[in-house]
Amino acid sequence: MSTVGETALKVRSKNAGPFWLTVDIFCGSAGAFDKISAGLDSGIVAQALNVRPDQLKRFDLSDLNVVKFSAPRPAIQGTRADRDMHGASFAVLIASLTI
Amino acid sequence: MIRVLIPSGALGLGYDRAALAAGIAMRPDVIAIDGGSTDSGPHYLGTGTSKYSRNSTKAEWRELMAARAQAGVPLVIGTAGTCGADDAVDWLVDITREIAAETGENLKIAVLKSGQDAAALKSALGAGRVTPLAPSEPLDPALLDECTNIVALAGAEQITAALDTGADIVIAGRTTDTAIIAALPLKHGCHAGGAWHGAKIGECGALATTHPNSGTILIDFDETGFTMQPMGQGVRATPHTVSAHMLYENSDPIRLFEPGGYLDVSNAVYTAPDARSVRVEGSQWVPAPYTVKLEGARRTGFQTVSIALVRDPRYVQNIRAWCDDIQTKCTAKAQSRVSGEFSIELRIIGLDATLGALDTTAQSGTEVGVMGIITAQTQALSMEVAKMLNPYLLHHPLTEEEEMPTFAFPFSPPEMQRGAIHEFCLNHILRLDDPMDAFRLDVIEVAP
C-alpha cells in the first residue's frame, strides 16, 4: 500500500474559475499512471473533497500520464467559508489517499 | 501566417526584457497580454480595482508601449486592471494617457468595455437569454441588483472589432484569456481550432515551457495549426509542456468553451520541429450559439481580523477546546451588548486553518496562531465585536481554577479592519444576437 503522493511525481490543485476546483495528478511514468488510474477510486476522491460523486469529473489521460479530477469548489472562491483563495492546498488531500 | 507575441502571462507579473526584445526582433503582427483573471478573488471585481500596483503596471505598460512603437503593430490587453470592470479599464486608460504625455506619443486607442447593466440583464433573463452553468442554479433577478459590478467576457469578435478601428492600442475590459490572442489569427482565416488552442497555450506566457517564469513566447498561426516558441534564452517548449498546459486551471482538459463555440483537442497532435518549438495540428473548433459568460460580485458584509499566538504547550494541546469555549462565550456576550447580525469565527493557524473540516489528519506543532474573523453588516459593528473578542484572546483560561494566562499579540491594536467583503455570485451565460450587443467600443485619440 502506498499513497498517491508517494506514487506520483506531483499532485497539483488549482481553481478552474471561482466555482470549480481541479486536481492534476502527474504520475510521471506509465507504470505509476496504471497504478493510480486503476487503484484510485473516484468515490474516495469525492469523499475527500466533500462533493457528491456525480459532481466529480474524472479524466484518465494516458498520453500525459495524468489523472485529473474536477469538482465544484467545497466553498465558492472568496466566500466567507473559503479558506484557500487559489485552491492550491486541496492537492494534499488527494496526495494522502491510499492506493 | 499570423505571428502573435505574448510578453507574459499578465501585465504586472514581470518578464524577461531580453526575451521581449528577441520577440520584437521576430516582427510579430500583434502583441497581446492579459491584464487579469478571477483568480485573485472577488474583491477586485467587487470594487472595480486592480490587484497590481499602479507603479508596477505603469512601468511594464510603458515598456510594452515602447515595444509596440518599435514593432509598429497593435498592442492588445484584455481584462484590464485585474477584473476588467469599466472602472479598471478607465484606470489603465489614464495610465496610458500619462505615459503618452510623458513620451510625446500620438496614439489611437480603442477602448472596449464589458460592464453590464442590471436592468438590461433582467430583461434578458426574462426573455430566457440567461442560463446557469454547472453547478449553479437559475439566476434570481434580485441578485443582479446586489452586484457592485457585472461584466461579460468578450470573445474574439469584440477584439477584432477593436482592432478593425486601426487602433495602436486596444484596452479591453473583461475578455476570455484566449480571445486577445485568437482574434487576429481568426480574422485572417487561420485554422480556427489552432487559433483557440494556441491562444489557450499562450495565455499564461511561458507557463507551457520548461521555464515558466521567463515570460515571453511567440506563436505562429496558419491554415492548419500553430507553432509555439519561447523567446527566453535556453527556454524550451516540448510536446509534453504544451499538451499538459490544457490541464491548467481547466475543469475539462479536452474541451474549452468560448463565446460562439468550443475547442476540442481530443485529436490534437503535438510534434517538435526543433529542440525548442512545438507544432500542434488537429485541434477542432465546434461552433455553437453565441453566448458570453457573465461574472458578478456583490458585497456581503464587513470584516475585522485579530490574530493571537499561542505557545504554551498545554494550550496548544487543547487549542480546539479553548477556541470553542471563546467562541461560545464571546458570541453570547456580544449578542447581549450589540444589535445587528454578526459572526465570530476562529481559525487555528498551524492546525487546520487551510482546509478546515476536510483536514482529517491535522496535527499542530509547538505553536499555533488563532485568527479571529468577525463579520457583520457594518465595519463599525465588526470592530465593536472584535474589541469584545480581544480580552478572550488575551487572557481566556482553559479552566476556572488556574492563574490567568496571557497570550502573544503581534500588533497594537490587534484588530485589523478588512473593509467590505465581496463574493462572486454569477456563473451564468448570456445569449447574444450580435457579439457587440453587450459591449461598447470607443476610440480615443491621444496627442501630446
Side-chain angles (χ1 to χ4, degrees):
Chain A
M1 298 288 270
S2 57
T3 65
V4 171
E6 287 160 358
T7 310
L9 197 63
K10 185 183 172 185
V11 184
R12 168 180 84 183
S13 65
K14 196 82 174 35
N15 297 336
F19 298 88
W20 285 80
L21 181 73
T22 193
V23 184
D24 300 327
I25 305 172
F26 293 90
C27 301
S29 70
F33 172 80
D34 290 343
K35 201 170 161 189
I36 291 171
S37 182
L40 185 57
D41 180 64
S42 297
I44 304 288
V45 173
Q47 200 177 8
L49 297 173
N50 194 29
V51 296
R52 292 200 321 262
D54 63 295
Q55 292 180 304
L56 188 77
K57 297 185 199 173
R58 175 176 182 149
F59 304 91
D60 291 83
L61 306 163
S62 58
D63 288 353
L64 291 171
N65 290 325
V66 165
V67 180
K68 181 181 182 76
F69 293 95
S70 297
R73 261 176 145 276
I76 294 168
Q77 182 201 10
T79 52
R80 259 165 63 188
D82 184 31
R83 294 159 173 262
D84 181 359
M85 196 61 61
H86 299 85
S89 302
F90 293 92
V92 300
L93 295 174
I94 306 307
S96 65
L97 295 176
T98 304
I99 46 169
Chain B
M1 196 264 283
I2 292 293
R3 176 165 277 187
V4 182
L5 179 67
I6 301 149
S8 80
L11 183 69
L13 272 185
Y15 47 80
D16 174 353
R17 284 196 176 84
L20 179 66
I24 295 297
M26 298 289 283
R27 304 174 63 90
D29 296 299
V30 66
I31 304 170
I33 188 161
D34 194 11
S37 81
T38 56
D39 209 36
S40 298
H43 169 82
Y44 306 99
L45 181 59
T47 55
T49 55
S50 166
K51 168 185 163 175
Y52 294 110
S53 95
R54 193 179 196 280
N55 285 330
S56 286
T57 302
K58 187 175 175 183
E60 290 185 20
W61 193 232
R62 178 195 293 274
E63 289 182 357
L64 294 185
M65 284 172 63
R68 181 217 69 80
Q70 189 191 342
V73 297
L75 168 64
V76 182
I77 184 163
T79 314
T82 304
C83 60
D86 292 354
D87 286 349
V89 172
D90 290 338
W91 178 81
L92 190 61
V93 170
D94 282 347
I95 291 173
T96 311
R97 285 180 188 276
E98 268 179 35
I99 296 168
E102 288 162 16
T103 56
E105 260 186 292
N106 287 305
L107 286 173
K108 186 174 182 181
I109 306 170
V111 180
L112 179 75
K113 289 204 168 159
S114 308
Q116 303 298 307
D117 175 57
L121 284 177
K122 275 189 204 167
S123 303
L125 180 63
R129 288 174 168 268
V130 178
T131 45
L133 294 171
S136 300
E137 300 291 322
L139 183 56
D140 173 359
L143 208 53
L144 292 167
D145 291 324
E146 291 181 31
C147 289
T148 51
N149 276 306
I150 304 170
V151 290
L153 278 72
E157 293 76 7
Q158 298 84 354
I159 296 296
T160 301
L163 284 167
D164 282 348
T165 63
D168 302 304
I169 297 179
V170 174
I171 298 179
R174 190 67 171 118
T175 63
T176 68
D177 295 346
T178 42
I180 53 168
I181 302 169
L184 195 64
L186 287 170
K187 173 183 154 72
H188 286 272
C190 296
H191 189 269
W196 286 108
H197 192 179
K200 170 60 192 171
I201 297 307
E203 55 108 355
C204 288
L207 208 58
T209 72
T210 53
H211 294 61
N213 293 325
S214 59
T216 312
I217 60 165
L218 191 75
I219 305 184
D220 289 339
F221 296 91
D222 55 43
E223 293 72 22
T224 55
F226 71 93
T227 304
M228 184 268 233
Q229 57 176 309
M231 290 292 101
Q233 199 163 18
V235 184
R236 291 180 302 121
T238 69
H240 183 84
T241 62
V242 171
S243 58
H245 191 66
M246 276 303 288
L247 299 165
Y248 190 69
E249 293 180 341
N250 272 358
S251 61
D252 184 330
I254 309 296
R255 294 204 296 180
L256 182 70
F257 285 85
E258 293 284 343
Y262 66 87
L263 166 70
D264 183 332
V265 303
S266 46
N267 293 319
V269 177
Y270 304 80
T271 53
D274 56 50
R276 47 190 292 278
S277 308
V278 170
R279 171 80 188 160
V280 183
E281 295 187 1
S283 330
Q284 261 188 300
W285 171 252
V286 183
Y290 201 89
T291 59
V292 289
K293 192 175 166 190
L294 299 171
E295 288 171 354
R298 64 172 174 167
R299 200 171 74 190
T300 54
F302 293 81
Q303 280 183 339
T304 302
V305 169
S306 291
I307 295 176
L309 303 172
V310 178
R311 184 64 179 78
D312 180 308
R314 186 167 145 264
Y315 278 80
V316 170
Q317 204 179 356
N318 295 286
I319 195 68
R320 177 85 64 204
W322 188 74
C323 286
D324 288 349
D325 197 35
I326 289 176
Q327 178 146 8
T328 304
K329 287 180 173 150
C330 184
T331 300
K333 179 184 277 183
Q335 278 171 343
S336 71
R337 293 181 179 180
V338 301
S339 56
E341 281 183 33
F342 66 88
S343 75
I344 299 171
E345 186 187 359
L346 298 179
R347 291 187 191 169
I348 306 170
I349 298 171
L351 186 64
D352 63 354
T354 316
L355 289 162
L358 293 177
D359 199 343
T360 52
T361 57
Q363 289 179 329
S364 58
T366 52
E367 75 167 18
V368 292
V370 174
M371 176 164 61
I373 305 169
I374 295 89
T375 309
Q377 284 311 305
T378 65
Q379 186 69 60
L381 180 57
S382 81
M383 182 53 123
E384 188 66 12
V385 176
K387 287 185 173 186
M388 291 180 193
L389 176 64
N390 179 262
Y392 290 96
L393 294 179
L394 182 60
H395 287 315
H396 189 64
L398 268 175
T399 64
E400 295 298 329
E401 309 81 39
E402 62 188 272
E403 201 176 316
M404 185 180 75
T406 303
F407 301 98
F409 281 88
F411 313 115
S412 169
E415 295 86 10
M416 292 168 272
Q417 302 195 40
R418 290 238 307 111
I421 57 167
H422 295 84
E423 67 180 26
F424 290 117
C425 57
L426 298 181
N427 185 34
H428 299 75
I429 52 173
L430 168 67
R431 174 125 186 223
L432 298 177
D433 292 329
D434 182 311
M436 287 307 290
D437 280 351
F439 300 88
R440 294 165 317 286
L441 181 61
D442 291 306
V443 177
I444 303 169
E445 304 271 357
V446 175

